[in-house]
């Protein structure tokens, strides 16, 4: 784990919050809460990258294709997954039980993103195939 992990743990102070991950736009795990398994976090990072990518394409459905994606909420029988933008090229995901206070968890996520600011910004990867 890295220095951002302890910051992600603050999202779990909300009753019902389970896990949090910070991912890059290309699906790489940047940080995870301390009690979340690394292999599971890697799988979640890849899936969340796809979820936010698909969500961003739906701006036109709100009558304006230029609208910026801000968050995605996925509901399951027993819980929720929240994904929000966390700066340029980074996303914060939090899972929670079905009875979590949705306003509290989304507010905490926004606070976390604001507090971390530049630390959560990941520049886009360039020249992946180029070698010096």
């Amino acid at each position: 784990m890295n220095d951002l992990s302890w910051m992600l743990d603050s999202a779990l102070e909300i009753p019902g919050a389970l896990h949090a991950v910070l991912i890059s736009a290309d699906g790489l795990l940047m940080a995870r809460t301390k009690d979340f398994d690394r292999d599971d976090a890697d799988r979640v990072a890849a899936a969340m990258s796809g979820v936010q990518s698909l969500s961003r394409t739906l701006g036109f459905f709100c009558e304006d294709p230029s609208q910026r994606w801000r968050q995605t909420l996925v509901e399951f029988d027993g819980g929720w997954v929240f994904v929000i933008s966390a700066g340029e090229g980074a996303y914060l995901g939090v899972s929670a039980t079905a009875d979590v206070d949705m306003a509290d968890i989304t507010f905490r996520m926004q606070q976390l993103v604001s507090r971390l600011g530049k630390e959560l910004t990941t520049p886009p990867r360039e020249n992946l195939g180029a070698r010096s």
Side-chain angles (χ1 to χ4, degrees):
M1 288 194 305
N2 60 31
D3 295 339
L4 298 176
S5 296
W6 69 270
M7 293 184 202
L8 292 182
D9 286 334
S10 72
L12 305 185
E13 295 170 359
I14 301 298
L18 298 171
H19 308 290
V21 293
L22 179 65
I23 68 167
S24 66
D26 55 359
L28 297 177
L29 180 66
M30 297 169 63
R32 62 189 164 91
T33 48
K34 66 181 175 214
D35 292 332
F36 193 46
D37 179 74
R38 172 66 193 229
D39 289 339
D40 288 340
D42 283 333
R43 283 186 19 219
V44 167
M48 282 189 180
S49 176
V51 166
Q52 65 77 28
S53 180
L54 289 170
S55 297
R56 283 191 343 242
T57 65
L58 291 172
F60 79 94
F61 195 48
C62 295
E63 300 297 323
D64 184 356
S66 67
Q67 292 190 64
R68 281 189 10 203
W69 170 85
R70 294 177 44 158
Q71 75 175 359
T72 299
L73 175 63
V74 182
E75 181 180 10
F76 295 92
D77 290 340
W80 302 92
V81 173
F82 303 82
V83 183
I84 66 169
S85 177
E88 186 67 32
Y91 307 98
L92 175 62
V94 174
S95 64
T97 61
D99 60 347
V100 72
D101 184 314
M102 293 175 66
D104 283 350
I105 194 73
T106 56
F107 181 72
R108 177 60 60 95
M109 291 173 73
Q110 291 296 335
Q111 283 182 318
L112 181 56
V113 168
S114 294
R115 195 174 89 222
L116 296 175
K118 291 181 182 178
E119 291 188 58
L120 294 181
T121 302
T122 302
R125 300 197 318 160
E126 297 178 12
N127 300 324
L128 293 177
R131 294 185 184 212
S132 303

